[in-house]
Amino acid sequence: MDRLELFRDRLIDYKATVARASGNEEISALVLRFLQEVKAATLVGPPALDKAWRTGTREAGIRILRDDPPLFKDVLNKTAAVVTAATVGIAETGTLVLDHRPDQGRRIISLLPDTHICVVGAEQIVTSVSEAVEQLASSVAAKRPMTWISGPSATVDIELTRVEGVHGPRNLYVIVSG
Amino acid sequence: MNRLTPAPPPGRLIDAPPFSKGVKPHLANEQLRANLQLATSTIRAKRARVTAELPYWEELRSVGQEIKDHTLQHLPYYLALFETRLKENGAQVHWAADAEEACAIITQIVQAKGVNEVVKVKSMVTQEIELNEALEAEGIACWETDLAELIVQLGHDRPSNILVPAIHRNRDEIREIFLREMKLYGKPAPEDLDNEPKNLAAAAREHLRDKFLRAEVAISGANFCVADSGTLVIVESEGNGRMCLTLPKTLISITGIEKLVPSFRDLEVMLQLLPRSATGERMNPYTSMWSGVTPGDGPQEVHVVLLDNGRGRVLEDPVGREVLRCIRCAACMHQCPIYERVGGHPYGSVYPGPIGSVLTPQLRGLNSKIDQSLPYASTLCGACAEVCPVKIPIPDLLVYLRHRVVEEHKRGQRGMEQSLMRGAAWGMKKGKRFGRVGKLAGLASRALPLDYVRWLPWPGSLWTKARNLKMPAKRSFRYWWKQNRGGGPGKGSVRGGPGIGSVGRSPDKGLVGGSDKGFVGGGPDEGPVSGGPDIGPVSGGPDNGPVGGGGA
């Protein structure tokens, strides 16, 4: 299995939804489809989100919030979905790493909404944890906080049965671009 | 005075009865055993599957061991570095010698914020220092936010596992607890709540969301602390950790001083070892890392409390210190045939199972009944050491601690074992004497036409009430040697090695604890280590910069 297939396979194993897109047109079509799938009425984006990724969402009647200036947590708590970029993807473990630069935004915006749509470039996806750590050394040096996300929020606390969806976003959609 | 949070069971853990007594009610609880069996067998299978996926798993374990050993060997250096970096990153650093100091520091910080409620990420070290009760006594409600910890807290219960604290509860019990208790402390559980794990988790989400949104202060532990960047790492699944680490204005993290790793590069090893060993996942759903205060993102006041609480003393012990490598994955307890049958409560500690039996008595000292009994809470089968991601030789440490219990309490409750050992030592010390004992035992064996002794008077009954005693061989090995090899080379060369010959080998137990070092030391898998394929070996001591210079 090649790197991208592995990445997809691992994420599906965690019950995330994964799709491939080439170009902004396909990305924005997928974003809209996913938002409609969860019946999202509001969408929040980080300050530097690529606007081309959400073309057509406003026209579809979805309210768009930009986290600049920072939104209150009560507002974010009522926001249905968030779209962010990522810094690194790890194939072997099905992990997205956010280092919360401006195209990913503050940690809180990808936490409170129940649906997280994450766009990661195919070239950002590495095979192993070791490679990812190497890539991320500069983020640590820059004192950026980091969130490693492997699937939607989950728990095994009841009889060690995995249940998706506790406190974090219950729906994780991943778009691999390029 | 009215309590703010559900009261835990009365009494202190350290006053627990000795393990062999404490297990009795648990052994009799069939529901508990069924819950545990299901849970541990499920997680064992998952762990086995995902560790087998990595061809370099064994090398990874060895490197994990090396990283932790290296850090512990240079701990003062790395602690100082960590403190410096934290301060540079805008965090406030506090040092706590023991539980009391740590609780006082945290209480003061919370009081200075003028709040009477905090949210907490699951953290073993806060259990160890009994932080919840210390805060409760000062009129501060400390809410557990991990699902299992919430089940335990609302159930007026104690955790029984470090990874899945409510492993002893099944879905029906959890439903009852939620229906009964949630309404007393916040958003009630829906009245039509059923026992589906998905719905139980949803009830917890609803119940805790309000608390997360209004909390001004959060408390966490740390899975790893990166010395050279001043970074803390929390590994979790549910997102309650992210909530606590992101939403409140003030964050207080407390960590044992042994949680350090030299540099960020070392996490490539630790973040592979921990999730696969713990929940048996390739990666846990969420890992958060933060380096002090991030302007405009998350808590703007960040405290880190570095806790000793016995660790410094353990570090001074060249044998016992291996326990400080522990990364709290719980693989050892899920593998342990004893834990699987009795659960975590009889261990009288927040750290149960095999690791608890070697960690707790070292942290607390060997003074209480429970701590003296914990090193014996094992069959020494070795399953724990085979799965430990940082290769802690738990059986060796158990034997070592048994020895220390005997040494430090010679006149105590183990008087009889001592006399037996002394008797055996007398018998084995001289070749001639040993020969005579062998002859005598053979004589007794030939006189009695039995294979097994089923009953002996006290004190022999302590053995025979649980097992039969095999009769000694009818002829001693020396006799056989004389008959078959007599006069050959090496004549008379057998000089009474223990275990050979027919001497009434009294309880197997008698063989351990007698040796100073015989049992401690490398097991078969502990060969010298060289960096595996994808893993940068640990290099560089404190003088030439931290670990893993990328093979440069």
Side-chain angles (χ1 to χ4, degrees):
Chain A
M1 229 187 291
D2 82 351
R3 200 174 89 252
L4 298 183
E5 274 174 59
L6 192 63
F7 182 66
R8 179 170 179 273
D9 182 74
R10 296 305 197 227
L11 273 164
I12 288 171
D13 201 36
Y14 296 137
K15 310 249 165 70
T17 306
V18 191
R20 188 76 193 264
S22 63
N24 287 338
E25 212 167 294
E26 279 186 40
I27 293 175
S28 59
L30 281 168
V31 168
L32 183 62
R33 203 184 90 202
F34 293 150
L35 289 170
Q36 284 169 338
E37 214 169 282
V38 295
K39 301 188 174 64
T42 43
L43 169 72
V44 62
L49 185 75
D50 193 335
K51 283 204 179 75
W53 291 354
R54 56 171 177 76
T55 312
T57 41
R58 202 184 300 272
E59 292 71 14
I62 294 164
R63 207 173 137 228
I64 297 167
L65 302 168
R66 189 160 169 265
D67 188 46
D68 187 21
L71 297 161
F72 287 113
K73 53 189 173 187
D74 296 326
V75 174
L76 286 167
N77 193 41
K78 291 192 189 97
T79 304
V82 58
V83 178
T84 71
T87 303
V88 167
I90 310 171
E92 209 169 71
T93 57
T95 304
L96 295 156
V97 184
L98 273 58
D99 71 359
H100 304 283
R101 58 186 69 187
D103 62 359
Q104 298 153 37
R106 297 186 297 148
R107 285 174 282 173
I108 190 173
I109 68 163
S110 45
L111 176 61
L112 289 178
D114 210 9
T115 297
H116 183 187
I117 302 170
C118 188
V119 184
V120 59
E123 76 290 349
Q124 290 179 302
I125 297 168
V126 298
T127 306
S128 68
V129 173
S130 303
E131 289 164 86
V133 163
E134 207 169 311
Q135 299 251 322
L136 292 163
S138 58
S139 304
V140 175
K143 316 262 177 243
R144 293 192 171 285
M146 251 192 258
T147 309
W148 294 40
I149 299 170
S150 308
S153 159
T155 182
V156 291
D157 281 351
I158 300 165
E159 297 178 5
L160 287 174
T161 311
R162 188 177 161 108
V163 175
E164 279 75 24
V166 197
H167 302 294
R170 286 183 280 198
N171 310 305
L172 177 67
Y173 291 94
V174 182
I175 299 170
V176 179
S177 70
Chain B
M1 190 187 118
N2 276 344
R3 286 187 56 98
L4 304 164
T5 59
R12 298 187 311 161
L13 284 170
I14 198 166
D15 298 327
F19 187 80
S20 56
K21 281 213 179 78
V23 294
K24 293 213 164 116
H26 299 279
L27 277 173
N29 183 343
E30 281 178 36
Q31 177 70 64
L32 173 80
R33 282 167 66 182
N35 296 356
L36 282 167
Q37 235 261 286
L38 175 68
T40 52
S41 58
T42 309
I43 205 160
R44 273 202 302 272
K46 281 170 74 181
R47 195 209 74 93
R49 202 180 64 227
V50 297
T51 56
E53 257 177 26
L54 295 184
Y56 48 85
W57 179 251
E58 289 306 314
E59 284 86 353
L60 211 52
R61 290 174 72 209
S62 298
V63 178
Q65 170 182 5
E66 285 190 2
I67 290 170
K68 293 298 276 189
D69 277 346
H70 169 90
T71 317
L72 291 167
Q73 272 160 21
H74 304 283
L75 195 57
Y77 168 83
Y78 286 119
L79 280 169
L81 179 63
F82 185 52
E83 183 185 23
T84 308
R85 292 288 180 265
L86 281 172
K87 286 179 173 165
E88 286 168 7
N89 300 348
Q92 299 175 46
V93 182
H94 312 261
W95 296 85
D98 55 24
E100 207 182 317
E101 267 186 45
C103 289
I105 291 165
I106 295 172
T107 306
Q108 274 170 21
I109 300 169
V110 178
Q111 281 171 337
K113 297 284 128 200
V115 297
N116 57 11
E117 183 182 66
V118 299
V119 286
K120 198 178 96 184
V121 193
K122 175 174 159 359
S123 140
M124 290 316 300
V125 83
T126 60
Q127 305 270 1
E128 180 187 322
I129 63 169
E130 296 176 344
L131 179 65
N132 290 11
E133 286 308 287
L135 289 171
E136 173 86 32
E138 297 295 330
I140 300 160
C142 183
W143 293 110
E144 297 289 353
T145 61
D146 171 73
L147 177 54
E149 291 284 5
L150 180 72
I151 295 164
V152 167
Q153 187 177 36
L154 291 176
H156 299 266
D157 200 356
R158 287 195 209 278
S160 69
N161 184 287
I162 63 171
L163 179 74
V164 201
I167 197 169
H168 57 292
R169 297 286 196 188
N170 66 20
R171 58 183 76 188
D172 296 316
E173 295 170 298
I174 294 165
R175 172 179 169 269
E176 266 172 48
I177 291 169
F178 279 8
L179 283 172
R180 193 181 63 222
E181 301 283 337
M182 273 183 174
K183 58 177 182 266
L184 304 177
Y185 301 100
K187 192 161 190 176
E191 272 170 34
D192 57 351
L193 183 66
D194 60 15
N195 67 0
E196 267 306 304
K198 200 176 167 65
N199 299 332
L200 294 169
R205 177 186 169 100
E206 288 296 308
H207 180 76
L208 285 173
R209 191 52 78 106
D210 292 344
K211 289 193 165 78
F212 285 132
L213 287 170
R214 68 171 185 245
E216 303 259 317
V217 179
I219 295 171
S220 83
N223 290 96
F224 304 104
C225 298
V226 182
D228 76 351
S229 58
T231 306
L232 281 87
V233 183
I234 287 275
V235 172
E236 53 134 355
S237 299
E238 296 166 14
N240 62 311
R242 292 177 69 191
M243 292 279 176
C244 290
L245 303 174
T246 312
L247 266 54
K249 293 182 186 140
T250 302
L251 172 62
I252 308 166
S253 304
I254 174 165
T255 176
I257 52 174
E258 82 283 17
K259 288 295 181 73
L260 261 65
V261 294
S263 79
F264 178 66
R265 273 296 302 266
D266 300 312
L267 293 181
E268 72 172 275
V269 178
M270 296 304 167
L271 290 180
Q272 295 189 71
L273 286 174
L274 182 55
R276 287 181 200 253
S277 298
T279 46
E281 291 166 302
R282 296 182 182 105
M283 191 60 88
N284 50 293
Y286 299 135
T287 298
S288 296
M289 302 183 195
W290 71 102
S291 308
V293 175
T294 310
D297 184 354
Q300 296 300 295
E301 184 175 328
V302 172
H303 296 264
V304 177
V305 182
L306 294 162
L307 175 75
D308 184 309
N309 208 28
R311 289 161 175 79
R313 204 180 51 239
V314 179
L315 198 59
E316 284 170 17
D317 179 341
V319 180
R321 71 167 65 131
E322 298 206 59
V323 78
L324 295 179
R325 288 202 297 270
C326 177
I327 57 172
R328 311 281 190 265
C329 70
C332 61
M333 42 201 91
H334 301 145
Q335 214 74 18
C336 178
I338 296 189
Y339 178 90
E340 185 178 11
R341 283 162 180 81
V342 300
H345 290 142
Y347 291 84
S349 162
V350 300
Y351 305 108
I355 189 66
S357 299
V358 291
L359 179 62
T360 312
Q362 294 203 80
L363 288 179
R364 296 200 296 215
L366 291 163
N367 302 312
S368 67
K369 286 208 163 72
I370 181 69
D371 286 330
Q372 286 171 29
S373 72
L374 284 176
Y376 294 88
S378 167
T379 63
L380 301 179
C381 76
C384 49
E386 277 172 29
V387 295
C388 177
V390 285
K391 293 194 168 181
I392 299 171
I394 296 174
D396 295 347
L397 291 176
L398 285 164
V399 172
Y400 166 73
L401 288 173
R402 288 178 186 189
H403 175 61
R404 272 186 50 193
V405 170
V406 174
E407 284 294 308
E408 289 174 29
H409 300 274
K410 272 189 172 147
R411 283 173 222 293
Q413 54 180 2
R414 310 228 160 256
M416 186 160 65
E417 190 177 312
Q418 282 286 298
S419 328
L420 277 171
M421 292 307 293
R422 263 200 297 275
W426 181 85
M428 291 176 174
K429 213 169 246 170
K430 287 220 166 111
K432 216 178 240 173
R433 234 181 255 160
F434 189 61
R436 276 199 211 114
V437 175
K439 254 184 213 157
L440 215 64
L443 209 65
S445 188
R446 291 197 300 280
L448 289 169
L450 295 171
D451 287 334
Y452 288 96
V453 178
R454 287 176 211 284
W455 178 85
L456 281 173
W458 195 89
S461 63
L462 290 177
W463 178 264
T464 53
K465 81 178 173 196
R467 295 153 260 220
N468 297 330
L469 180 66
K470 181 104 173 79
M471 282 300 282
K474 295 202 173 359
R475 295 283 182 196
S476 74
F477 176 72
R478 284 165 174 247
Y479 177 84
W480 176 90
W481 183 270
K482 234 183 232 166
Q483 296 299 307
N484 294 279
R485 303 276 193 278
K491 179 178 172 188
S493 66
V494 177
R495 297 191 70 89
I500 311 169
S502 62
V503 177
R505 268 181 70 180
S506 54
D508 273 352
K509 242 163 89 175
L511 285 174
V512 292
S515 149
D516 266 334
K517 51 189 177 199
F519 285 81
V520 181
D525 342 63
E526 292 188 357
V529 164
S530 56
D534 285 338
I535 308 153
V538 178
S539 66
D543 290 331
N544 44 10
V547 162

